[in-house]
């Protein structure tokens, strides 16, 4: 592997930015086409990652490592494993789609497209960085274009939403920065070496007390990003005010940075603290699942409804990660992708409606199926994907998560499972009010069905929705080695360190529950 | 043979895809032929499979085909694989056979609908899903079929989505089913945790090899959770409320999905898991009690309904109750037997009612019918056969299957089950003949405008009726008491237990040789009693029902309003959840959480505003602060040094 694929996909968008800078801002169509082409090329270059990816090793692959600031041991260190692979692909897949979906943006097209491409660099960078300093740089980098996208091309309360988004995330990031510096010095004290290499950090043995505080600091950053209840209130505002593409990227990729962070940092670096936090995080996740669903149910604004449904969905992801077994984590990762696709698609759908009618209020619609049947079909498939209908993507992730959680904590899983009922309630009720019954507003009688461009936006997502639903093993097998390794890492550390109570540990490992009759053994968990 | 099984599934799927994708551009005839052709081919292959199975010795009548691994993660492995055994082969025969007739009927019934291609696409998709449900060889794939039939049910109930009632009913059906599926899903997880597998063969083998004592608490829990799913899909108390509303769908849909096939999935599931259920006497009691209660409860509601389809809907719920009663006392064969005969006569009744509705240009209220028997003679005659069959008059199909359930309930269960079942049978005979008399006999109450257009249905509708009528007459002979071919055929699946020759009749012999015969006589008398009463009230003394309603106003109102169950559910579940959600949104989310977030922001801005006044930019002010500071420090140090 001599070709630096990861560098290419990370920085090619920046090359695109330079290209666009050289185009006069009056040539809107040219700018759009250029940025679309760039993002498609990035996607095409990223595809081989999937095919060449070696499923037999848990080591980082496609690694590139260059010295950057040697005096602090900072290096340009990239690489992916089975966990980040799909998040990278998701990012490169979603970006061209959102660019195509932004064709109608007329104001400051040049700046808009530049922001989108810079955003892509930031997002990919976060997922491929193995140097923690570099990670942090990308983490902050991606905030800025997103802030601009909401703040400039957003809706009426865009400034409020953008500032809220920015400050909220920054507040979390500050804690993370402190923790990163802490890790740096801890490692220095242990090894006498300056480094920000994440893989080196993994080798550290950190005492439980220190783990606790560092975990908490990372937790703040990631939990806000996920967002976990009760740190979620920036999300509905950001979603509602963001332009369609902003919402899609926000839901599709940005939220995944939080959950990814837990998998990449919290679990392997602070395994005991993570264990200790299982009840807290699980309850936050459970509350998020049910609370998000209930609040979503009564929303009057389509975008808000989808935003609150994200809180519910991401609750499932967190639950899977903190199940601490292979089904839970693989389900969690799958669900990250699923949520990116389904919720991204929902925002695209809402965006299409908004472009036609310039309203997001559910009560302004009704009976659209008759007028725009093709749109209705697309919408329905996406709706059922979000509900978690078997055969579509959502089910696979949700079910694995619940199986994983069920193995470790039956009660939690049982409560969370009720979320599948509520999901059906809020999604179908919304669908009914928007698409069924008679048309009550005159304006809706002249709506146009989906255009070819809109089909081109939706079809790729739908194909993947079916693909994951029907043959998820194509995805799950690529994760196996990395997830197993992650669990081994966690388990090893927890086992050697004495200061953690063993009975508080659910089965870390897949094969660690040989008992047939689980009920007596688990009685304390009920 | 096994490759053939894949074809059974494939044809409807292809049919559905063709009509779904290209139906808009196809002619109506082509759409109908594609859909019917797909199911026809499936039926043909199902017959081949069935015959192939019959040619084998009974112990070899089981095949499994593993297609591919679907979801695999760690030790969790769900496959896409099929299983053909006597039970599933019987089910595919019913699904494709009755389904084929209903498809043909639909060509006539739906002929003028603009959603013609959509309708057939859904209907084929439904058949595919139902076949998936009964053919799958593991719990999760069964769950896929289970949810997929739910989806098709949703789509078809809401087929006329412009009507609010239809789209409400569709949503209700899906959500109530989801409540059941919640239990089903948890059940599957618990099965995985207990058996480390979700394959039928492995689970049932492990369960039958004595690893679990009878009454094992885990098994009880598993079976109860699965039963929750069954109660949702098969419309049992307390999850039955969606089925009457589901009548908003086109009538052939009611016949196929909400009478003959989908709603019986719960019965199928319990029969499939008979090994597990036999390990838990407690669950069996629950199943039997809920079945018996539902049979009676739904029948009593059926007495007072005026919508022809709703009567049939409550009747379906009630008949499903019988099937669960049978399963609950361990008479799985009897349950499946009734499932089969019910598929024949209830499909017939629904299609017959569809033919009535068709003739009356959409009228469903029986108070606006009457005297139709000479106008639509074929419909009348076939409907009469169906009614007699469900009422339980020998030698029609319903008689044998219902009688067997009552016998089993008496022998294996207790007198209470039997008396509930018998009383419900009396009610059944009564309300069905009430329906028959109100619709076809007596004075015509038909609207004069409608009356001008009265017509018998076209051939593609009447021929399915005639075939189903034939099946309703002879279908029972396959399970004749004492010499039941069905028992023999299903015995590999139900092993020792669902076998009534071994337990039922033997035990019957214990009670005296004449018990089965005695039961038959009693059943027949009960049915005749019900019919006689209906005849008295709705043909001879037509003023009687009204008088009775006035005399017993309260019970009448309760029954007429279906015990107010929908209203109670709204008051207990639907409205509070909505209210709480609004509170959560407005109070908790907007005021408390976001309020504190914005509060922090305001606090920061507020304090900065105060401190901003210190930054005046005048040197003299800063010099003043310095002096004050110095003095302060001086005082502080001297004070501290003291």
């Amino acid at each position: 592997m001599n070709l630096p694929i990861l560098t290419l996909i990370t920085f090619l968008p920046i090359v695109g930015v330079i290209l666009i800078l050289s185009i006069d801002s009056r040539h809107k169509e040219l700018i759009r086409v250029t940025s679309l082409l760039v993002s498609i090329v990035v996607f095409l270059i990223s595809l081989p990652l999937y095919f060449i990816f070696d499923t037999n090793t848990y080591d980082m692959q496609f690694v590139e490592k260059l010295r950057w600031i040697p005096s602090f041991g900072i290096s340009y260190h990239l690489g992916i494993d089975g966990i980040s692979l799909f998040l990278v692909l998701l990012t490169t897949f979603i970006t061209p789609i959102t660019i195509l979906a932004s064709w109608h943006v007329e104001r400051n097209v040049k700046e808009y497209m530049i922001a989108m491409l810079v955003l892509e660099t930031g997002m990919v960078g976060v997922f491929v960085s193995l140097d923690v300093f570099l990670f942090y740089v990308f983490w902050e980098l991606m905030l800025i274009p997103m802030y601009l996208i909401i703040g400039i091309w957003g809706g009426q309360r865009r400034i409020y939403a953008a500032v809220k988004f920015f400050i909220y995330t920054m507040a979390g990031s500050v804690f993370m920065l402190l923790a990163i510096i802490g890790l740096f010095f801890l490692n220095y004290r242990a090894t006498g070496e300056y480094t920000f290499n994440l893989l080196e950090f993994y080798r550290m043995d950190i005492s439980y007390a220190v783990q606790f505080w560092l975990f908490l600091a990372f937790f703040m950053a990631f939990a806000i990003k996920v967002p976990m209840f009760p740190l979620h209130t920036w999300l509905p505002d950001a979603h509602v005010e963001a332009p369609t593409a902003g919402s899609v990227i926000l839901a599709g990729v940005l939220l995944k940075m939080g959950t990814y962070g837990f998998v990449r940092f919290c679990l392997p670096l602070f395994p005991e603290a993570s264990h200790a936090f299982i009840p807290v995080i699980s309850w936050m996740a459970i509350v998020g699942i049910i609370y998000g669903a209930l609040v979503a149910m009564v929303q009057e604004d389509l975008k808000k409804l989808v935003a609150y449904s994200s809180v519910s969905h991401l609750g499932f992801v967190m639950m899977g990660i903190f199940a601490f077994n292979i089904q839970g984590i693989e389900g969690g990762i799958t669900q990250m992708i699923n949520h990116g696709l389904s919720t991204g698609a929902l925002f695209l759908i809402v965006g299409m409606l908004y472009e036609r009618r310039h309203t997001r209020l559910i009560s302004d619609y009704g009976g659209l199926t008759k007028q725009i049947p093709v749109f209705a079909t697309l919408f329905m498939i996406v709706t059922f994907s979000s509900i978690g209908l078997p055969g579509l993507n959502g089910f696979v992730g949700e079910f694995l998560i619940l199986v994983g959680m069920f193995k470790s904590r039956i009660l939690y899983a049982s409560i969370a499972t009720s979320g599948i009922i509520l999901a059906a309630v809020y999604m179908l009720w919304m669908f009914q009010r928007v698409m069924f019954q008679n048309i009550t507003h005159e304006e809706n009688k002249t709506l146009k069905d989906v255009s070819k461009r809109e089909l081109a936006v939706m079809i790729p997502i739908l194909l993947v929705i079916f693909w994951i639903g029907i043959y998820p093993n194509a995805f799950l097998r690529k994760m196996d080695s990395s997830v197993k390794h992650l669990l081994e890492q966690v388990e090893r550390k927890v086992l050697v360190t004495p200061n953690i109570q063993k009975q508080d540990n659910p089965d870390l490992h897949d094969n660690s529950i040989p008992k047939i009759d689980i009920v007596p053994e688990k009685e304390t968990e009920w | 043979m096994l490759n053939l099984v894949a074809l059974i599934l494939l044809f409807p799927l292809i049919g559905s895809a063709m009509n779904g994708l290209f139906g808009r551009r196809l002619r109506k005839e082509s759409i109908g032929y594609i859909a019917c052709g797909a199911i026809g081919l499936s039926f043909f292959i199902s017959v081949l499979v069935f015959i192939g199975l019959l040619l084998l010795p009974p112990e070899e009548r089981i095949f499994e085909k593993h297609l591919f691994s679907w979801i695999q993660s760690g030790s969790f492995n769900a496959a896409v694989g099929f299983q053909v055994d006597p039970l599933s082969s019987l089910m595919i025969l019913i699904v494709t056979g009755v389904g084929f007739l209903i498809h043909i009927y639909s060509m006539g019934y739906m002929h003028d609908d603009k959603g013609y291609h959509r309708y057939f696409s859904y209907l084929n998709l439904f058949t595919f899903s139902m076949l998936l449900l009964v053919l799958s060889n593991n719990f999760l794939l069964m769950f896929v079929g289970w949810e997929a039939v739910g989806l098709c049910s949703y789509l078809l109930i809401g087929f006329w989505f412009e009507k609010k009632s239809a789209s409400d009913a569709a949503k209700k059906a899906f959500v109530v089913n989801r409540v059941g599926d919640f239990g089903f899903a948890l059940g599957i997880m618990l099965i995985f945790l207990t058996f480390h597998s979700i394959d039928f063969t492995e689970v049932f083998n492990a369960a039958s090899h004595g690893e679990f004592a009878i009454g094992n608490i885990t098994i009880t829990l598993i079976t109860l959770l699965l039963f929750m799913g069954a109660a949702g899909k098969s419309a049992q108390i307390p999850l039955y409320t969606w089925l009457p509303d589901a009548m908003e769908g086109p009538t052939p849909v009611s016949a196929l999905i909400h009478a003959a096939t989908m709603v019986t999935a719960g019965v199928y599931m319990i029969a499939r898991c008979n090994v597990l259920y036999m390990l838990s006497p407690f669950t069996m009691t629950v199943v039997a009690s809920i079945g018996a209660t539902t049979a009676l409860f739904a029948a009593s509601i059926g007495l007072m309904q005026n919508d022809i389809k709703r009567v049939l809907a409550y009747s379906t719920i009630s008949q499903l109750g019988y099937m669960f009663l049978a399963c609950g006392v361990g008479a799985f064969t009897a349950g499946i037997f009734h499932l089969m005969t019910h598929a024949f006569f209830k499909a017939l009744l629904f299609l017959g009612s569809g033919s009535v509705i068709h003739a009356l240009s959409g009228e469903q209220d029986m108070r606006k019918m009457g005297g139709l028997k000479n106008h639509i003679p074929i419909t009348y005659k076939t409907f009469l056969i169906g009614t007699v069959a469900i009422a339980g008059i020998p030698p029609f199909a319903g008689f044998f299957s219902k009688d067997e359930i009552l016998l089993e309930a008496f022998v294996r269960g207790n007198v209470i089950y039997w008396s509930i079942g018998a009383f419900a049978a009396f009610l059944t005979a009564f309300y069905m003949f009430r329906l028959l008399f109100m619709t076809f006999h007596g004075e015509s109450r038909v609207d004069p405008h409608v009356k001008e257009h009265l017509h018998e249905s076209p051939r593609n509708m009447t021929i399915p009726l005639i075939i189903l009528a034939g099946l309703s007459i002879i279908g029972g002979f396959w399970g004749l008491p004492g010499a039941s071919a069905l028992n023999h055929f299903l015995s590999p699946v139900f092993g020792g237990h669902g076998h009534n020759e071994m337990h039922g009749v033997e035990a019957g012999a214990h009670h005296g040789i004449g018990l089965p015969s005695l039961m038959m006589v009693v059943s027949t008398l009960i049915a005749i009693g019900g019919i006689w009463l209906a005849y008295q009230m709705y043909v001879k003394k037509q003023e009687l029902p009204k008088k009775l309603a006035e005399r017993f106003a309260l019970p009448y109102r309760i029954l007429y309003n279906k015990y107010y169950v929908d209203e109670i559910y709204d008051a207990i579940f639907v409205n509070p959840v909505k209210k709480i959600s609004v509170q959560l949104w407005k109070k908790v989310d907007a005021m408390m959480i976001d309020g504190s977030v914005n509060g922090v922001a305001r606090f920061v801005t507020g304090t900065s505003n105060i401190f901003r006044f210190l930054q005046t930019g005048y040197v003299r002010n800063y010099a003043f602060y310095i002096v004050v500071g110095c003095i302060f420090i001086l005082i502080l140090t001297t004070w501290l040094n003291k």
Side-chain angles (χ1 to χ4, degrees), chain B residues 199-418:
Chain B
D199 276 359
F200 288 152
T201 325
E202 286 180 35
V203 172
F204 299 149
N205 274 343
S208 57
H209 284 139
E211 277 177 57
F212 299 92
I214 287 184
N216 179 300
I217 200 163
T218 315
I219 301 289
T220 302
L221 209 59
I222 289 175
T223 44
L224 280 175
L225 287 167
L226 293 182
F227 178 60
M228 190 173 166
K233 191 108 297 177
S234 295
Q236 297 295 293
I237 292 172
L239 298 175
Y240 71 92
T241 51
W242 64 273
L243 188 59
D245 290 11
M247 297 301 122
E248 291 288 342
T251 308
V253 169
S254 313
L256 179 60
I257 302 184
H258 305 119
T261 57
M262 184 188 84
V263 288
T264 61
V267 182
Y268 167 78
M269 185 234 263
I270 289 182
R272 174 56 78 201
C273 305
N274 61 80
V275 179
L276 295 179
Y277 277 84
M278 289 309 282
L279 285 174
S280 173
F282 176 73
T283 314
M284 291 294 268
T285 313
V286 172
V287 173
S289 319
I290 294 219
T293 318
T294 310
L296 181 63
F297 181 78
S300 69
I301 299 176
L303 299 175
M304 300 294 171
Q305 300 305 307
N306 290 319
D307 183 307
I308 185 168
K309 282 183 73 182
R310 296 227 167 200
V311 177
L312 292 176
Y314 282 106
S315 151
T316 304
I317 298 173
S318 166
Q319 298 297 312
L320 288 165
Y322 278 106
M323 298 176 209
F324 280 104
L325 172 60
C327 291
V329 296
F332 297 102
T333 314
I336 295 295
F337 184 26
H338 197 56
L339 186 158
M340 181 182 83
T341 58
H342 178 256
F344 299 149
F345 61 68
K346 192 48 76 60
L348 168 62
L349 290 170
F350 264 114
L351 294 185
S353 76
S355 183
V356 170
I357 295 166
H358 192 73
L360 295 176
S361 318
E363 186 55 62
Q364 300 195 12
D365 192 334
M366 293 191 296
R367 285 168 298 191
K368 295 178 183 163
M369 296 181 186
L372 294 176
K373 67 177 179 185
N374 296 325
H375 297 284
I376 41 174
I378 301 177
T379 307
Y380 170 64
K381 280 174 201 148
T382 52
F383 203 94
L384 179 64
I385 292 170
T387 314
V388 175
I390 192 177
I393 300 289
F396 292 82
F399 168 75
F400 292 109
S401 53
K402 195 187 288 183
D403 183 62
E404 194 174 318
I405 291 176
L406 289 177
L407 175 67
E408 296 279 1
F410 185 74
V411 175
R412 301 185 188 214
N414 52 42
V415 181
I416 301 173
Y417 289 155
W418 180 84

Side-chain angles (χ1 to χ4, degrees), chain A residues 421-441:
Chain A
I421 303 173
L422 296 174
V425 176
Y426 67 77
M427 288 307 287
L428 290 183
W429 195 30
M430 179 270 287
F431 194 85
Q432 178 192 15
R433 284 177 294 163
V434 174
M435 302 306 292
F436 287 160
Q437 300 171 19
N438 274 317
I439 296 185
T440 44
H441 295 264

